[in-house]
C-alpha cells in the first residue's frame, strides 16, 4: 500500500548501529512510532518532520550557561543566529490540555485536528540524520516525548555515538525518571510548569490530585536537568485570571529547585481557543507582572514570545525589559516557526 506520508529531507541511517542501540531498548528499525504530520503536499501526502523552531533563549546564553546582560538583540539580523531545532513531533500525550486537543485529537494552528501517523523508527532516525546533516538540533516534542521513552533514548544514544551531538526535548514535566535518563544526551530542554498546584490539573485536563503530583514532577524534572547542566526552559501559560501572586509562587519554586545558571523561564500568553472559556491576559499586563516577579528573583532570566505567528521574544531580567524591541518590529521572522497559543503585539 502506498504511504500517506513523506519524511522531510531524510539522511542516511547507519543500520547496524541503529539495530544495536534499538535492541538495548527492545526496539528494532521497524518498530512503529506514532508521529504528528506538519502540513501536507498538494496531493494530500502528509509531511512528517517539516517543522522547525528557534531556541529563543539563545541570546541569554554565554558559553554554556545564562549570564546577565543589558541588551540582548543589537540588530534585526541577530535573531537569525538563534539555533534551529528540528521538531520530532510524537502523536501521543499523557495529559489532555483542553487548548491542545479534544477527543484524543491534537489541534493544529488552524484549529483543525491533526491525525497521528504510524512511522517506522528507521524513518524517524533518517529524519534526524537529515537534521544533523544540516546543523540542526533534534528536538523531541509532541504530543509529548515521555510517551516514547525508549524511542527517544535510543535515537539520542544513536546520534550521540554517531556524531557526538546532543538532542533537546519539549516535555510537560511529568516524567522525572525518564528525564534523568535523557540528561546525558540533552543540550537543552523545555519543561512545562503550567500553573500553581491547585490549578494545574484543570489546565492539563486531568484530576486535581493528579495535577498536584504533576506539579511536583515538573519541579523534580526541571531541577534534575538544570542541575545536570542542561539548558532548561521552564514554560508557563498565563491566562486572564492568572495573578501576580500565583506567578510569584511559581518563581519561588523555580528558584528553589533549579540551578539558575542553566534556567530560563518562558511565559506563554494564552490566546483564546475555540471551546475553552478561559480568558486571555493583556500584553501590557503580562509584561508588568513579569517585571514585578523578576524583581524578586533578579538572577533568573524571563522571556515572553512576541509576535508568536512570526517568532521573536521579549526578555526580562532584574525587573527590566532587556531588549530593544524596536529592531524586532522590522524583522520578517517567518522562519522562526509558528504556534497556537500566543499573539503579542510589540
Ligand atoms: S502537555 Fe502539551 S501536547 Fe500534551 S495535551 Fe498539553 S499542550 Fe498538548
Amino acid at each position: 500500500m502506498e504511504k500517506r506520508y513523506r519524511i522531510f529531507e531524510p539522511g542516511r541511517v547507519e543500520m547496524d548501529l541503529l539495530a544495536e542501540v534499538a535492541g538495548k531498548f527492545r526496539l528494532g528499525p521497524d518498530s512503529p512510532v506514532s508521529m504528528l504530520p506538519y502540513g501536507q503536499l498538494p496531493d494530500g501526502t502528509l509531511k512528517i518532520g517539516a517543522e522547525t523552531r528557534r531556541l529563543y533563549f539563545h541570546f541569554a546564553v554565554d558559553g554554556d550557561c545564562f549570564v546577565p546582560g543589558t541588551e540582548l538583540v543589537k540588530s534585526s539580523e541577530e535573531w537569525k543566529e538563534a539555533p534551529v531545532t528540528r521538531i520530532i513531533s510524537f502523536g501521543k500525550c499523557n495529559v489532555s490540555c483542553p487548548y491542545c486537543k479534544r477527543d484524543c485529537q491534537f489541534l493544529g494552528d488552524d484549529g483543525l485536528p491533526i491525525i497521528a501517523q504510524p512511522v517506522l523508527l528507521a524513518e524517524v532516525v533518517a529524519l534526524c540524520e537529515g537534521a544533523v546533516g544540516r546543523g540542526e538540533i533534534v528536538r523531541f516534542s509532541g504530543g509529548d516525548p515521555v510517551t516514547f521513552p525508549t524511542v527517544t533514548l535510543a535515537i539520542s544514544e544513536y546520534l550521540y555515538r554517531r556524531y557526538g551531538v546532543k538532542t533537546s526535548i519539549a516535555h510537560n514535566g511529568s516524567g522525572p525518571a525518564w528525564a534523568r535518563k535523557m540528561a546525558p544526551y540533552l543540550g537543552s530542554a523545555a519543561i512545562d510548569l503550567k500553573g500553581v498546584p491547585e490549578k494545574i490539573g484543570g489546565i492539563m485536563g486531568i484530576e486535581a490530585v493528579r495535577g498536584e503530583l504533576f506539579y511536583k514532577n515538573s519541579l523534580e524534572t526541571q531541577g534534575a536537568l538544570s542541575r545536570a547542566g542542561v539548558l532548561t526552559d521552564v514554560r508557563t501559560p498565563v491566562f486572564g485570571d492568572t495573578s501576580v501572586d500565583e506567578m510569584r509562587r511559581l518563581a519561588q519554586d523555580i528558584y528553589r529547585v533549579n540551578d539558575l545558571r542553566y534556567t530560563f523561564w518562558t511565559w506563554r500568553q494564552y490566546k483564546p481557543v475555540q471551546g475553552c472559556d478561559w480568558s486571555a491576559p493583556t500584553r501590557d499586563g503580562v509584561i508588568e507582572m513579569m517585571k514585578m516577579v523578576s524583581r524578586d528573583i533578579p538572577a533568573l532570566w524571563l522571556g515572553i514570545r512576541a509576535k508568536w505567528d512570526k517568532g521573536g521574544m521579549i526578555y526580562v531580567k532584574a525587573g527590566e525589559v532587556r531588549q530593544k524591541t524596536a529592531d524586532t518590529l522590522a524583522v520578517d521572522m517567518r522562519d522562526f516557526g509558528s504556534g497556537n497559543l500566543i499573539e503579542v503585539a510589540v
Side-chain angles (χ1 to χ4, degrees):
M1 200 173 77
E2 200 178 338
K3 280 184 188 164
R4 293 183 54 224
Y5 60 85
R6 180 176 297 173
I7 303 294
F8 181 83
E9 297 186 6
R12 194 183 69 79
V13 178
E14 179 55 54
M15 293 303 285
D16 288 346
L17 178 60
L18 176 58
E20 179 198 331
V21 173
K24 286 169 60 176
F25 299 97
R26 298 174 187 243
L27 298 166
D30 292 342
S31 296
V33 182
S34 178
M35 301 283 289
L36 292 183
Y38 189 77
Q40 57 186 41
L41 299 170
D43 67 358
T45 302
L46 299 167
K47 294 195 280 185
I48 300 286
E51 182 182 13
T52 58
R53 301 282 175 101
R54 299 268 177 175
L55 283 184
Y56 296 94
F57 57 63
H58 167 80
F59 299 105
V61 177
D62 186 10
D64 62 356
C65 65
F66 296 111
V67 295
T70 54
E71 183 184 322
L72 294 174
V73 178
K74 296 182 178 63
S75 74
S76 308
E77 286 302 302
E78 286 188 63
W79 281 104
K80 295 182 180 173
E81 292 174 11
V84 174
T85 66
R86 177 66 46 184
I87 304 300
I88 311 298
S89 199
F90 294 109
K92 276 201 300 187
C93 187
N94 56 347
V95 296
S96 308
C97 305
Y99 53 80
C100 173
K101 65 175 186 175
R102 291 167 195 64
D103 301 329
C104 297
Q105 298 288 4
F106 295 89
L107 300 181
D109 296 354
D110 53 8
L112 298 174
I114 312 171
I115 311 295
Q117 288 292 304
V119 174
L120 303 181
L121 174 59
E123 293 178 307
V124 183
V125 174
L127 170 61
C128 298
E129 283 272 5
V132 172
R134 292 185 295 276
E136 300 165 355
I137 297 166
V138 169
R139 168 167 268 205
F140 302 114
S141 184
D144 200 284
V146 77
T147 57
F148 287 88
T150 53
V151 166
T152 45
L153 281 163
I155 296 176
S156 295
E157 181 177 333
Y158 170 93
L159 293 174
Y160 192 73
R161 283 175 56 179
R162 185 148 153 80
Y163 299 107
V165 297
K166 294 194 171 184
T167 57
S168 180
I169 53 172
H171 168 43
N172 61 29
S174 61
W178 166 71
R180 278 196 182 87
K181 289 182 193 159
M182 287 290 290
Y185 302 111
L186 294 177
S188 66
I191 303 298
D192 293 335
L193 185 65
K194 288 182 184 267
V196 289
E198 63 271 25
K199 282 189 173 178
I200 193 171
I203 295 168
M204 297 180 91
I206 55 179
E207 290 173 13
V209 64
R210 199 163 156 238
E212 288 170 21
L213 174 67
F214 274 32
Y215 183 88
K216 288 181 189 148
N217 283 353
S218 172
L219 293 182
E220 188 181 337
T221 301
Q222 58 191 256
L225 293 176
S226 67
R227 288 174 190 280
V230 176
L231 292 174
T232 300
D233 180 22
V234 180
R235 304 185 302 188
T236 300
V238 184
F239 302 91
D241 68 348
T242 304
S243 70
V244 68
D245 285 342
E246 288 172 11
M247 297 308 274
R248 280 196 161 112
R249 286 169 57 198
L250 297 183
Q252 291 298 335
D253 275 342
I254 291 168
Y255 175 74
R256 180 171 56 81
V257 302
N258 284 293
D259 183 335
L260 294 198
R261 292 175 301 163
Y262 300 99
T263 308
F264 191 93
W265 189 15
T266 297
W267 293 29
R268 311 182 88 184
Q269 185 177 354
Y270 174 72
K271 178 184 172 187
V273 171
Q274 206 177 2
C276 296
D277 55 9
W278 296 327
S279 61
T282 65
R283 186 269 322 248
D284 289 346
V286 174
I287 291 179
E288 277 313 303
M289 273 208 294
M290 291 176 83
K291 289 189 202 164
M292 282 189 258
V293 173
S294 171
R295 268 180 224 122
D296 295 348
I297 304 179
L300 177 63
W301 277 107
L302 274 60
I304 183 166
R305 300 281 275 273
K307 286 258 185 200
W308 178 230
D309 60 338
K310 290 181 180 176
M313 175 167 268
I314 294 171
Y315 299 84
V316 177
K317 194 160 191 293
E320 294 173 12
V321 173
R322 296 296 185 97
Q323 175 199 339
K324 282 187 175 174
T325 54
D327 280 343
T328 67
L329 284 171
V331 184
D332 178 355
M333 292 188 242
R334 272 174 297 201
D335 66 341
F336 275 64
S338 61
N340 60 0
L341 290 180
I342 301 170
E343 190 163 6
V344 183
V346 290

